Amino acid sequence: MDRIDRSILRELQEDGRLTNLELAQRIGLSASACLRRVRQLEEDGVIQGYRAVIDPAAVGRGFEVLVSIEVRRDRETVEAFEEALRDIPDVIEAHRLFGSPGCLLRIAVADLAAYERLWIERLTSLTGVTEVNSQIIMKRIKEPRGLPVER
């Protein structure tokens, strides 16, 4: 990956809706050369997709919680737990960690009552769960803005 590819990545992370012509002008390439590079970055899996960033409150999910979960650490239990997480739409991020806690989730729901229902009905009943700890997000200080791409 060269300087031009990194410039393409920086620009697209900032605004994924740029037209190819706008992107080409910003990085100083012809439109056809720019399109070839973007397609190659997509084919190589460097660019994994394009998404809209949505205001959680606008879609009734303004209450966010970080949840640490301990799970029994045998392969079968961990695999069943991870598979079950994929079926819970309120879990918007899930990370398996080294050490303790074993798993960190980011959950987005409407309010405290909705989180309590999720906690009681789903989280505590997942295969292998031995402990669930919740941290309610008071304020998001820094929004996810993509990865730093060196020049």
Side-chain angles (χ1 to χ4, degrees):
M1 188 175 330
D2 64 12
R3 176 188 57 80
I4 294 171
D5 289 336
R6 289 189 295 274
S7 293
I8 289 170
L9 296 175
R10 280 192 302 277
E11 293 294 335
L12 287 177
Q13 279 193 125
E14 185 64 34
D15 183 358
R17 296 186 69 182
L18 286 173
T19 66
N20 183 61
L21 183 58
E22 291 169 325
L23 179 60
Q25 290 171 341
R26 287 187 185 189
I27 60 172
L29 282 181
S30 69
S32 60
C34 181
L35 185 58
R36 275 193 304 275
R37 283 183 177 255
V38 169
R39 285 191 176 147
Q40 189 64 55
L41 289 166
E42 291 169 345
E43 288 173 22
D44 292 345
V46 176
I47 297 174
Q48 296 180 347
Y50 301 88
R51 294 179 179 87
V53 178
I54 299 170
D55 174 9
V59 293
R61 295 193 175 264
F63 190 83
E64 291 189 29
V65 184
L66 297 177
V67 179
S68 59
I69 295 184
E70 288 294 348
V71 178
R72 283 192 324 271
R73 297 187 187 217
D74 62 86
R75 182 179 182 156
E76 189 175 299
T77 301
V78 170
E79 288 174 353
F81 170 79
E82 290 178 359
E83 185 62 34
L85 282 181
R86 289 184 187 94
D87 294 331
I88 303 173
D90 302 317
V91 176
I92 57 175
E93 287 183 50
H95 306 273
R96 186 188 322 157
L97 306 175
F98 287 105
S100 186
C103 187
L104 182 65
L105 311 178
R106 184 168 149 232
I107 292 175
V109 291
D111 53 27
L112 181 58
Y115 177 65
E116 182 181 15
R117 278 190 308 279
L118 176 70
W119 190 90
I120 290 169
E121 295 171 8
R122 302 290 299 270
L123 297 180
T124 58
S125 65
L126 289 170
T127 300
V129 169
T130 60
E131 189 175 337
V132 178
N133 292 296
S134 307
Q135 301 293 318
I136 297 170
I137 296 175
M138 180 187 302
K139 174 184 176 184
R140 187 177 292 181
I141 298 169
K142 185 176 180 180
E143 295 287 331
R145 299 292 300 165
L147 298 171
V149 179
E150 302 299 323
R151 295 195 181 272

